[in-house]
Amino acid sequence: MSGFVTLDDLATPVMICSQDGIVTYKNKMALRELRLPRRNTRVQPRILPDCRKEFAKITEKGVGLVAIDTGDRQARAFVSPYVRFCEPCTLWVFLSLIQIPSTNKYTRVIENDITALAGQICQIVKNIDESSLSSKGIPGDTFGPRMLEKIKKVISYVFYSGNEAFFPINKLIPMLADITEKTFAKFGYDVRYGVAGAVSNSMRMIDAGSFSLLFFHLMAFFVECGADRSINVTVALSNEERMGIKISLTVPEPPFYGEGSGDIMTLSRFSPEKIVDILVFERMCEVNNYAFAYSVNEDKEENVNIFIDVPVAERRRVRETFPLDGNDELEEGLLRANLAGLFLYMLDYRKFKNGRPFTENGA
């Protein structure tokens, strides 16, 4: 959600169907991403057979997860009853995080947490629509304090849910670095990494679920703030219990100068329309004991530096909530594939412009 006024401003496909299943509305992102069903046609023939019972129960359950055939691929949506212009209908929200079915325990943690929030996510979208209809699309209070509070509650639930999926940092950090480098390069952005040798310590573990989401939001936020579509990222173990991440970028005219720590909301001045990302940083730091600091100076290059200090756990002390059962290689491959898919979908849904792939010689 960024600088929105109506549903057409959301970077997430949204569809509305009448009570008898006729598609009455598709926002701009839905028109782009979902070829079928078309407006003024029925959605029922596009619903996958194993989801039809779930769709039929939505009126009594309040919300459901339903997959449809778009003519090009399958797409999944949170579907909720809705009353629009005094007419009963259904709201379909095609959130990017649920488009890749989870095939392993790590990404299943992320999906389960998001699915548990389906009702609240749909309610936020309804509030956006109702606010825009009541104000006739005039920019104003759509993103006011009450809306921010609702979004904060949704974000907080994800990180307070207690689900953990620990993974060795010597595997997760190189994996995330490789995935983000290649994924962002597809859109013309350059994310450069430096990983210190200490991160190769196989005895240190980190929660792959929450950290992967933090990692993505950090990269996506700052890569667009930089002047040259690039950022430098350095990852190293600070000590036996902490891991440090440093993000450096160049901003021609920073909105402020100085140093600070803890006040994460200050970052919203770099890109006010992406305040939801800042809320994610704030909640993750609060819940997971991440330390945050920034430095903005008057240098011509790399004048903005962000520091994130993340706790790591010793392998022998980690409560193995999700034991690998001897399938380390299989689990690692599935985790890589799922995270690569999630990152690609999220960049696409955030309206990143697909540019020329980055190469060192600019070709």
Side-chain angles (χ1 to χ4, degrees), residues 192-262:
R192 297 187 291 262
Y193 283 94
V195 179
V199 176
S200 62
N201 188 335
S202 62
M203 301 307 295
R204 300 296 159 182
M205 310 280 283
I206 194 168
D207 178 18
S210 60
F211 182 73
S212 296
L213 289 179
L214 169 74
F215 205 78
F216 170 81
H217 282 281
L218 282 171
M219 300 306 107
F221 181 85
F222 287 108
V223 78
E224 287 197 304
C225 293
D228 52 2
R229 298 165 66 91
S230 69
I231 57 175
N232 290 316
V233 183
T234 305
V235 183
L237 279 180
S238 306
N239 52 51
E240 291 297 308
E241 298 180 349
R242 312 288 296 187
M243 181 177 68
I245 303 171
K246 178 184 177 183
I247 300 173
S248 301
L249 62 151
T250 301
V251 178
E253 297 182 4
F256 63 90
Y257 294 96
E259 298 181 357
S261 61

Side-chain angles (χ1 to χ4, degrees), residues 303-356:
N303 54 353
V304 176
N305 292 282
I306 306 299
F307 307 91
I308 307 291
D309 194 52
V310 179
V312 296
E314 189 176 355
R315 180 188 287 270
R316 66 184 179 85
R317 294 183 179 178
V318 168
R319 180 171 55 89
E320 297 282 357
T321 309
F322 302 96
L324 295 177
D325 298 326
N327 295 321
D328 297 52
E329 293 183 4
L330 175 62
E331 291 293 338
E332 184 177 352
L334 289 173
L335 177 60
R336 173 182 289 274
N338 275 257
L339 289 177
L342 288 172
F343 284 10
L344 185 61
Y345 266 102
M346 287 192 284
L347 283 178
D348 193 38
Y349 281 36
R350 287 165 65 103
K351 297 183 180 179
F352 267 57
K353 294 181 180 179
N354 201 336
R356 293 181 301 167

Side-chain angles (χ1 to χ4, degrees), residues 93-166:
V93 181
F94 295 85
L95 199 69
S96 60
L97 276 171
I98 61 174
Q99 298 312 312
I100 303 293
S102 295
T103 54
N104 65 68
K105 54 202 167 191
Y106 303 107
T107 49
R108 196 172 297 123
V109 167
I110 297 175
E111 181 176 307
N112 288 345
D113 282 344
I114 296 297
T115 302
L117 298 169
Q120 295 181 59
I121 291 171
C122 289
Q123 187 58 51
I124 289 174
V125 176
K126 291 175 187 178
N127 289 346
I128 294 169
D129 187 43
E130 291 166 353
S131 177
S132 67
L133 293 176
S134 63
S135 62
K136 297 182 180 180
I138 299 174
D141 299 330
T142 307
F143 205 72
R146 295 179 67 182
M147 178 66 73
L148 281 175
E149 192 59 35
K150 288 184 178 181
I151 295 173
K152 283 183 179 180
K153 288 181 180 179
V154 169
I155 295 171
S156 295
Y157 175 86
V158 174
F159 305 125
Y160 277 115
S161 63
N163 288 321
E164 295 175 326
F166 284 99

